[in-house]
Amino acid sequence: MPYFDDMKTRMKMLCDKEDVFILGIETSCDETAAAVVKNGRDVVSSSVFSQIDMHKKFGGVVPEIASRQHVLSILPVIDDTISNCQGGWDCIDAIAVTKGPGLVGALLSGVSTAKALAYAKKLPLIGVNHIQGHICANFIENKDLEPPFVCLAASGGHSHLYHVKAYGEFELLGSTVDDAAGEALDKAARVLGLPYPGGPNIEKLAKQGDAKKYPMPGKYNKQQHFNFSFSGLKTAMITLVRQMEKDDVSFEKADIAAAFQEAVVSTLANKAVRAAKYVGVNSVAICGGVSANNELRCRLKELCDKEDLACYMPSLSLCTDNACMIASAGYFQMMLGNIEDLTLNAQPGLRI
Ligand code: KG4
Ligand code: ZN
């Protein structure tokens, strides 16, 4: 029987199996990750190899370096994950891999590996949208979370607000019209002389700063729609810093970091809560690298409490890129009957 027909039969059997174990593979940016997750909710084993140190000296991710490093790390990372999983390969029921969005070369290393393994091990192959993966990190962390809810996905490449109507059913309510939240934080950090990745370093520095000292512009973000804009904010901050440097005015970088972080965090939290009220759901979730930001987590919780909304967020290791979230999203995709054949390709511009 050809691979795909065989796998369709297998997938139908898996949908009735009590416990389904999915191997997830993530290589969309600068983390090589693999994980095994049971029934989309329980992490059995997880390995992440971060390339951050390799990209730090360039101030951001260098796509060619990322692709080459994924090729070197992917099999050891998968071996590590499988060896920490009782039963090894015998317990794996299907393979889920990030197919997009992301860097094309980086994605290809994961997709090609997943295809080869799926064929060799005769396992169904599931292609996962990276952002859908970030959203599913919430299902791992919060066993009681069920759709519908509103989810803010804020990462290096995305600031998107979704109405998660059901497993695998998403309505985009709004997104950034220019820079993503993480991208803005990374660029702001560079101007302040902080290393990559900027978000956590801005957060660290902001702790010693006064967020009120330098008011940042936010007219667009205060409007009623659910889109974001961070590029005007970034330009205002850069102009302010450059002007003060030119005029020889002394300033504390911590105050600038705190003001910038405050502008990003308040925008994200306010819009997420307003979106939940607009669509009439009782729960708000956040995900993506920026959701590791403690100010954002506290602000969202505060606003949700005020509005009587339940608030969900993944633990820090599930906010940034990992493969547990890909295995989880893969499980829900497979339950909806979505598997791939071996023509699966990387899709760098994939949308939900
Ligand atoms: O989700 P992620 O790991 O990768 C992408 O899919 O982009 O997100 C990375 C982004 C970076 O822009 C990084 O600066 C930001 O998340 N980030 C943070 C924090 N940790 C990571 N931003 C703010 N505060 C943090 N603690
Ligand atoms: Zn990500």
Side-chain angles (χ1 to χ4, degrees), residues 28-29 31 130 134 154-157 182-183 185-186 197-200 203 288-290 292-294 319-321:
S28 68
C29 190
E31 259 92 31
H130 181 79
H134 273 302
S155 70
E183 186 182 3
L185 286 160
D186 291 340
E203 179 176 13
V290 180
N293 185 283
N294 196 47
C319 288
T320 45
D321 289 349

Side-chain angles (χ1 to χ4, degrees), residues 4 18 42 98 106 112 196 200 241 265 317 319 342:
F4 190 56
E18 193 181 339
D42 296 313
T98 305
S112 323
Y196 175 84
V241 170
V265 161
S317 63
C319 288
L342 296 174

